[in-house]
Amino acid sequence: MTIAVIGAGASGMMAALTAAETPENEILLFERQARVGRKLAVTGNGRCNLSNLDMQPSHYGKAAPFVEQMYAVTPPSEVAAFFSSLGLMTAVEDGRVYPRTMAASAVLDVLRMACERYAVSMLTDTEVVALSPSRRGGWSVQLADGSGLFSPHVVAAMGGSAAPSMGTDGTGARLMQALSHEITPLYPALVQLKCIHPALKGLKGIRTQARLTLLIDGTPAAEEVGELLLTDYGVSGVCVFQLSREAAPALAQGRSVRLAVNFLPEIPSLLPWLDARIRQLAPVSLLALTTGVLPRLLAQTVIREARLSPDMPAEALSESEKQALCGALSAFPLVVTGTQGFANAQVTRGGVSLADVDPSTMASRLFDGLHIIGELLDVDGPCGGYNLHFAFAGALAAAKAIAG
């Protein structure tokens, strides 16, 4: 039986390989790029965080019920066992699962070697431009060169819109929409945020621990703690990426989006801390008071945000000035104006509506013989291996369903 898998990324390679384990299957893996697995090869800054020890469905937000049903059929342990069967050794760092080599190439290599071992036909530089259900059952697959083929089963694994230079430019969503699947709005996720503040350009390159609160229309919507990277355009870092999942849709809807940055998240009550520090170090200037606490340029910016002078004596602060300084330290304001877009995003938020897909088989509810997996679906998780794991688990679920 011929099975056409469209897209040789993480989910597509996994689906092709799993389906190829049935000897009578002929697997055609189509990839429009010159090489398979290009996006996988650079995932996680080249380290490939492929899973997590905590795979609770709740990490997927509104998609949690769908993910929970999928994991009931393909539990997280199956993904781990599958990679172990390919010979991939893994290591765990803060609950995140990586290849032991800490190189994404190791994951890609074991998948590619196994595809070769099971005689998967990897058709690179070959773009699928249309799919249509055949009157005799199965699917007609139209290629960009004008040729076509028939396949009883198609696995759609074309990815989302994130990282278009890697071939994921929204083509999959357009193909699925042409088949009358509902496509929820697409947004860049796990991406840097553009912000406005007059001091940002001078703070470029500063890294610091912080707690970020995302405010949408003035109401706290999400909060993250971690390393914050200040840039000339705004902010970056894992904590920013996590918040971008909520920020991007709000920005697209024209809502007010702001960040309140706490530069001392480890101190629960700043005013007593500030009083104690003044008593300990006086007589010193405000800038000297922050030495050993914040980078110098950042400290100057925070002090000026409180409408104070870095040179003024710390012991001369009035109570209202102390409150202002604590406010600037704990809720430094940044207006969010946008994201760095799909070109810089790690994943896509939105995609094929989950109402159109059976979570136990990843089969389309609109057509027989069509399975939709990976980032093409309206499922996205936070940083930490959740998005790759979902792609791998969905591939296993689809291949198992096709095998019967």
Side-chain angles (χ1 to χ4, degrees):
M1 176 174 63
T2 300
I3 300 170
V5 181
I6 307 172
S11 60
M13 292 183 75
M14 177 79 97
L17 177 56
T18 308
E21 291 179 341
T22 302
E24 59 268 25
N25 288 342
E26 178 192 11
I27 312 301
L28 305 178
L29 178 59
F30 295 95
E31 173 53 51
R32 62 191 293 200
Q33 298 273 294
R35 302 192 308 275
V36 300
R38 284 193 64 203
K39 188 175 178 182
L40 180 61
V42 298
T43 297
N45 290 325
R47 298 175 71 202
C48 195
N49 178 195
L50 56 96
S51 188
N52 198 292
L53 296 185
D54 174 20
M55 288 306 305
Q56 293 300 316
S58 58
H59 290 294
Y60 296 89
K62 59 182 172 54
F66 182 94
V67 174
E68 184 173 16
Q69 292 178 67
M70 187 183 79
Y71 285 174
V73 176
T74 308
S77 59
E78 283 197 21
V79 173
F82 186 86
F83 276 109
S84 178
S85 73
L86 298 184
L88 182 73
M89 294 182 67
T90 57
V92 177
E93 185 178 285
D94 296 327
R96 301 181 178 201
V97 180
Y98 295 89
R100 185 182 180 278
T101 61
M102 292 295 171
S105 58
V107 181
L108 177 57
D109 286 345
V110 296
L111 288 170
R112 188 167 48 202
M113 287 168 55
C115 283
E116 292 171 353
R117 188 164 63 250
Y118 283 97
V120 171
S121 296
M122 293 183 280
L123 306 171
T124 54
D125 287 318
T126 306
E127 182 177 2
V128 174
V129 294
L131 292 169
S132 56
S134 172
R135 284 176 292 181
R136 54 187 170 133
W139 290 85
S140 292
V141 180
Q142 178 90 29
L143 304 180
D145 64 3
S147 64
L149 61 112
F150 170 80
S151 178
H153 293 276
V154 167
V155 179
M158 293 85 88
S161 296
S165 64
M166 300 293 173
T168 47
D169 60 0
T171 298
R174 292 190 288 273
L175 285 178
M176 294 300 100
Q177 192 169 42
L179 292 170
S180 300
H181 289 95
E182 179 187 353
I183 306 297
T184 62
L186 306 178
Y187 307 106
L190 304 188
V191 66
Q192 307 92 335
L193 294 177
K194 296 179 181 178
C195 300
I196 293 177
H197 193 282
L200 271 176
K201 287 189 177 180
L203 301 175
K204 178 181 178 181
I206 289 178
R207 296 176 183 268
T208 184
Q209 289 295 308
R211 176 184 290 112
L212 276 64
T213 302
L214 181 71
L215 303 168
I216 298 178
D217 293 334
T219 301
E223 187 175 273
E224 291 289 337
V225 178
E227 185 180 71
L228 173 68
L229 171 63
L230 298 164
T231 72
D232 54 353
Y233 60 79
V235 289
S236 184
V238 172
C239 56
V240 174
F241 293 167
Q242 309 287 43
L243 294 178
S244 70
R245 297 173 62 213
E246 302 299 329
L251 288 163
Q253 294 157 14
R255 302 171 71 182
S256 167
V257 181
R258 294 174 180 265
L259 287 174
V261 184
N262 184 345
F263 289 114
L264 294 173
E266 69 273 31
I267 300 175
S269 183
L270 278 179
L271 189 56
W273 170 85
L274 181 61
D275 283 334
R277 191 166 179 86
I278 292 172
R279 289 193 300 270
Q280 176 191 0
L281 299 177
V284 292
S285 67
L286 278 187
L287 185 58
L289 189 74
T290 61
T291 299
V293 177
L294 296 176
R296 183 181 180 86
L297 288 175
L298 179 58
Q300 290 176 327
T301 300
V302 170
I303 291 168
R304 292 190 175 113
E305 182 67 29
R307 299 185 181 279
L308 300 171
S309 168
D311 298 324
M312 74 178 293
E315 62 270 28
L317 286 175
S318 67
E319 288 305 310
S320 62
E321 288 171 334
K322 291 178 184 177
Q323 292 284 1
L325 182 56
C326 289
L329 282 166
S330 63
F332 189 89
L334 293 173
V335 177
V336 182
T337 60
T339 74
Q340 283 292 77
F342 282 118
N344 295 282
Q346 294 183 23
V347 299
T348 305
R349 181 155 219 188
V352 176
S353 170
L354 299 184
D356 289 353
V357 178
D358 181 344
S360 62
T361 62
M362 311 307 285
S364 165
R365 295 188 190 276
L366 279 60
F367 298 98
D368 291 335
L370 175 63
H371 298 257
I372 307 170
I373 61 175
E375 198 178 331
L376 189 50
L377 292 165
D378 183 14
V379 177
D380 66 285
C383 296
Y386 296 100
N387 293 290
L388 264 184
H389 185 101
F390 175 78
F392 292 137
L396 290 176
K400 287 192 295 184
I402 293 171

